[in-house]
């Protein structure tokens, strides 16, 4: 910005991963296999293998027996209030 390097902390891309070549390739591969989205929630449209893979990797990373992911902040808060 104005000739200076800065870190953007006001967006969801503060790590700059949206333009990382490996992330872009993974997105293209996912679109080729799954289309552009699930067209709805897992509750209505089912769980994909990539949902299960993500949750297994998160659980292993956190050294927990299992993990669950939510697609919105509202769902996170709702799920947390029931835990």
């Amino acid at each position: 910005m104005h000739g200076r390097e800065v870190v953007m902390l006001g967006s969801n891309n503060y790590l700059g991963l949206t333009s990382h070549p490996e992330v872009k390739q993974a997105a293209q591969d996912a679109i080729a296999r799954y289309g552009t989205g699930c067209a709805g929630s897992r509750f209505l449209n089912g769980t994909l293998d990539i949902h299960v893979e993500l949750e297994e990797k998160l659980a292993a990373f956190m050294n927990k027996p299992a993990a669950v992911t939510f697609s919105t902040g509202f769902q996170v808060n709702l799920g947390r209030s029931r835990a």
Side-chain angles (χ1 to χ4, degrees):
M1 180 175 279
H2 303 291
R4 297 183 329 172
E5 187 172 320
V6 297
V7 177
M8 167 53 98
L9 297 175
S11 77
N12 291 328
N13 187 35
Y14 52 89
L15 295 177
L17 295 177
T18 61
S19 58
H20 190 284
E22 290 181 38
V23 174
K24 289 167 53 175
Q25 185 61 56
Q28 291 173 1
D29 294 346
I31 289 170
R33 181 167 180 179
Y34 301 102
T36 58
C38 297
S41 69
R42 287 168 68 180
F43 177 72
L44 296 175
N45 297 308
T47 297
L48 299 177
D49 59 336
I50 55 176
H51 295 128
V52 174
E53 181 182 354
L54 172 63
E55 291 170 343
E56 288 173 348
K57 287 183 178 184
L58 285 171
F61 179 76
M62 297 302 296
N63 197 29
K64 299 290 182 181
V68 64
T69 56
F70 297 94
S71 60
T72 69
F74 176 78
Q75 290 176 330
V76 170
N77 289 327
L78 185 63
R80 183 166 167 70
S81 69
R82 305 280 191 258

